[in-house]
Amino acid sequence: PAIFATQVALTELLNSKGVHADSIVGHSVGEVAGFWAAGALSLTDAALLCFHRSRLQHTTAGGGRMLAVGLSYPEAELLAKETKYGISIAAINSSNNITLSGDILGLESIQDQLDRKQIFAKFLDVDVPYHSPVMDSILDELSTSLTELSPQKARIPVLSTVTGSLVNGSEIGANYWRKNVREPVNFMAAFKTMYETGNNMFLEISSHPVLKR
């Protein structure tokens, strides 16, 4: 909720200064504010969505961690499959910036392997294994909690980091948010689509520019 409130406030501030987006993309939980900014969600629906998403994910705290690695997607996927622990690709941020999520022991094993090869591997400062198999336990309740959402067609072109492509906006009901919580954040594909459709200036709406690379 704090991330959501910050993103909404910054968006409103920028709009008041005459800075308006031609296209919008959200990263993981950032999709909540992103779809609101695009006009696909009312502020009430976006706040409700953010509350339930966060409430349920909080129940999984301590169930795993997240590890950022300097690998390509195929390399990271192979490494995740080779471990005997439950590890998933959580985010594809760029061609060599992948986030893994899941079992702590499995991630520590991967970090050890990469450290020995002098490949970047750093744990994120979170205790919730977002986008990992641990999320499966909350998906049904999440869907039930979001049955009253009333998404509508977006006023501003908006891209999904679930699909990596443009979406209408009206299809982001409860089932979409199940995918948002569980499936990898395909930021690289969405960013590539934005660039290929003529966008050449990008502004990250957050309290810290973590995607600047």
Side-chain angles (χ1 to χ4, degrees):
I3 293 172
F4 170 71
T6 299
Q7 291 175 326
V8 168
L10 288 173
T11 299
E12 291 283 41
L13 176 62
L14 288 166
N15 288 342
S16 75
K17 301 297 183 181
V19 180
H20 302 284
D22 293 321
S23 298
I24 294 172
V25 61
H27 189 287
S28 191
V29 68
E31 286 207 304
V32 182
F35 281 119
W36 162 79
L41 289 174
S42 68
L43 184 60
T44 298
D45 273 359
L48 180 72
L49 166 57
C50 188
F51 167 74
H52 285 301
R53 188 183 186 281
S54 301
R55 171 181 67 85
L56 292 168
Q57 288 183 322
H58 182 70
T59 65
T60 69
R65 293 191 68 185
M66 303 184 77
L67 181 72
V69 297
L71 297 172
S72 67
Y73 176 78
E75 290 171 331
E77 185 179 40
L78 179 62
L79 203 55
K81 287 180 177 179
E82 285 178 346
T83 179
K84 62 181 179 180
Y85 303 95
I87 305 295
S88 289
I89 302 290
I92 308 161
N93 293 317
S94 71
S95 59
N96 62 348
N97 183 351
I98 306 294
T99 302
L100 301 173
S101 184
D103 182 85
I104 296 173
L105 292 177
L107 292 176
E108 287 177 343
S109 173
I110 289 173
Q111 185 187 44
D112 288 342
Q113 292 180 57
L114 297 181
D115 281 348
R116 289 195 296 271
K117 297 177 182 178
Q118 296 185 318
I119 296 173
F120 173 79
K122 182 179 180 180
F123 275 100
L124 305 187
D125 188 20
V126 296
D127 61 356
V128 172
Y130 301 103
H131 304 284
S132 79
V134 177
M135 295 297 106
D136 292 341
S137 64
I138 69 170
L139 296 181
D140 289 343
E141 187 175 350
L142 179 68
S143 294
T144 301
S145 299
L146 301 179
T147 54
E148 300 303 314
L149 284 184
S150 299
Q152 55 195 356
K153 183 177 179 180
R155 297 189 304 270
I156 300 171
V158 59
L159 293 98
S160 163
T161 46
V162 172
T163 65
S165 59
L166 284 163
V167 292
N168 177 282
S170 58
E171 68 270 58
I172 58 166
N175 188 57
Y176 178 86
W177 295 101
R178 287 177 67 105
K179 296 176 182 178
N180 167 276
V181 164
R182 180 63 182 89
E183 295 184 12
V185 181
N186 201 341
F187 181 75
M188 184 176 74
F191 188 89
K192 182 181 178 185
T193 300
M194 290 186 80
Y195 183 77
E196 290 175 345
T197 52
N199 296 278
N200 57 18
M201 182 179 293
F202 303 92
L203 179 63
E204 184 174 356
I205 308 298
S206 67
S207 55
H208 187 280
V210 296
L211 298 171
K212 62 183 178 180
R213 293 181 61 192

